[in-house]
Amino acid sequence: MSQSLERGLRVLTTLATGPHTLDQLAERLGVHKSTVLRLLRTLESAGFVRRDGVHHYRLGSTLFDLAHRALEDLDVRAVARAHLVELSEVTGHTVHLATLEGDEVVYIDKVDSHHAVRMYSRVGKRAPLHCTAVGKVLVAGLPRARREAIAGRLAYPPMTANTITSAEGYLAELDRVREQGYAVDRNEHEDFIHCIGAPVHDDRDEVVAAVSLSVPDVLLDFDGLLGLVDDLLRTAGRTSGELGCRREITTRRKEL
């Protein structure tokens, strides 16, 4: 790396902690003020640095624009993959990553269970919104107007005896999901499968995907599955962090 480039990067990382004067930057870099001033003028001309008043310098808008573009280019599947694998290794159960497409969810990644009893699911498979944990998570993360619009147009086919079959019931369930930070599918989509799901947030704090753990009830009862919520929330939180989410993500199950 060239000396000028290295110094320029050090200027940017220093300014990331807050505004600095020319004297402070020169002292931090251990070089003469004239050297720092040349760097600042070059960075300022490209919008990476801006002057704040007469004496201070701050990061400029170009840097934020580049950061935003980089975050937009992140592939949630690629970012989440290592975390999904880790969750599967820790729990031994099937892990899914899903996104919202129209009025359905689409599974975009899957890590199979370690057990002989496995789920019939695959990447690209679609599933309903009203009876899956991932579907509830993805819709619960939307603004209220969009939640109500979706709830109002779903048909609510009864997949099992436990399936939610009304818009009122679905909206009440979405409120619970928002409050507790995760969703459950207690044999609502398939009679012998239960599932928990948690949201993945991006740099705008929007829910862009959902992570789930799915388990046949012959392997683990529902209370046992709820005991894995913290592991699930940590996985979703770590993925959100890599996608640029800045707010603190809940990584422990709330007792409601």
Side-chain angles (χ1 to χ4, degrees), residues 127-182:
L129 295 177
H130 68 295
C131 58
T132 56
V134 287
K136 295 175 186 178
V137 163
L138 291 166
V139 179
L142 298 174
R144 172 164 290 277
R146 288 192 63 191
R147 297 200 304 271
E148 292 178 346
I150 290 173
R153 64 177 180 256
L154 293 181
Y156 301 99
M159 312 297 287
T160 75
N162 295 329
T163 303
I164 294 170
T165 56
S166 70
E168 294 78 15
Y170 188 52
L171 287 169
E173 178 77 351
L174 296 180
D175 287 340
R176 281 190 289 273
V177 172
R178 290 176 65 86
E179 185 177 0
Q180 66 191 12
Y182 65 92

Side-chain angles (χ1 to χ4, degrees), residues 231-249:
D231 295 309
L232 176 71
L233 291 173
R234 277 192 292 272
T235 297
R238 288 168 181 164
T239 304
S240 299
E242 287 198 37
L243 288 172
C245 182
R246 294 176 179 84
R247 75 174 176 89
E248 184 177 354
I249 302 293

Side-chain angles (χ1 to χ4, degrees), residues 55-186:
H55 300 294
H56 287 83
Y57 291 86
R58 291 179 179 272
L59 293 179
S61 60
T62 297
L63 195 63
F64 297 114
D65 181 53
L66 289 176
H68 181 66
R69 292 184 189 183
L71 289 168
E72 283 188 330
D73 286 342
L74 285 176
D75 178 353
V76 64
R77 185 176 184 270
V79 170
R81 181 63 186 179
H83 301 299
L84 304 183
V85 170
E86 181 182 8
L87 180 61
S88 180
E89 290 175 349
V90 168
T91 65
H93 300 301
T94 300
V95 179
H96 289 106
L97 183 70
T99 57
L100 182 65
E101 190 170 306
D103 287 346
E104 295 177 303
V105 298
V106 178
Y107 295 111
I108 61 173
D109 206 352
K110 176 187 179 183
V111 183
D112 274 314
S113 164
H114 298 170
H115 301 285
V117 180
R118 296 192 176 186
M119 289 189 58
Y120 172 70
S121 60
R122 56 177 173 77
V123 173
K125 189 175 186 294
R126 295 172 178 269
L129 295 177
H130 68 295
C131 58
T132 56
V134 287
K136 295 175 186 178
V137 163
L138 291 166
V139 179
L142 298 174
R144 172 164 290 277
R146 288 192 63 191
R147 297 200 304 271
E148 292 178 346
I150 290 173
R153 64 177 180 256
L154 293 181
Y156 301 99
M159 312 297 287
T160 75
N162 295 329
T163 303
I164 294 170
T165 56
S166 70
E168 294 78 15
Y170 188 52
L171 287 169
E173 178 77 351
L174 296 180
D175 287 340
R176 281 190 289 273
V177 172
R178 290 176 65 86
E179 185 177 0
Q180 66 191 12
Y182 65 92
V184 301
D185 159 11
R186 192 167 188 176

Side-chain angles (χ1 to χ4, degrees), residues 5-56:
L5 176 58
E6 183 179 6
R7 286 172 176 169
L9 292 173
R10 288 179 62 192
V11 167
L12 294 176
T13 56
T14 301
L15 292 179
T17 65
H20 283 67
T21 65
L22 177 62
D23 288 340
Q24 289 171 331
L25 290 168
E27 182 179 357
R28 189 74 175 266
L29 271 66
V31 298
H32 196 272
K33 288 192 293 185
S34 61
T35 300
V36 179
L37 185 58
R38 284 196 298 272
L39 288 170
L40 288 169
R41 284 173 175 167
T42 300
L43 293 169
E44 187 178 9
S45 68
F48 288 99
V49 166
R50 65 180 176 87
R51 268 181 287 189
D52 186 5
V54 178
H55 300 294
H56 287 83

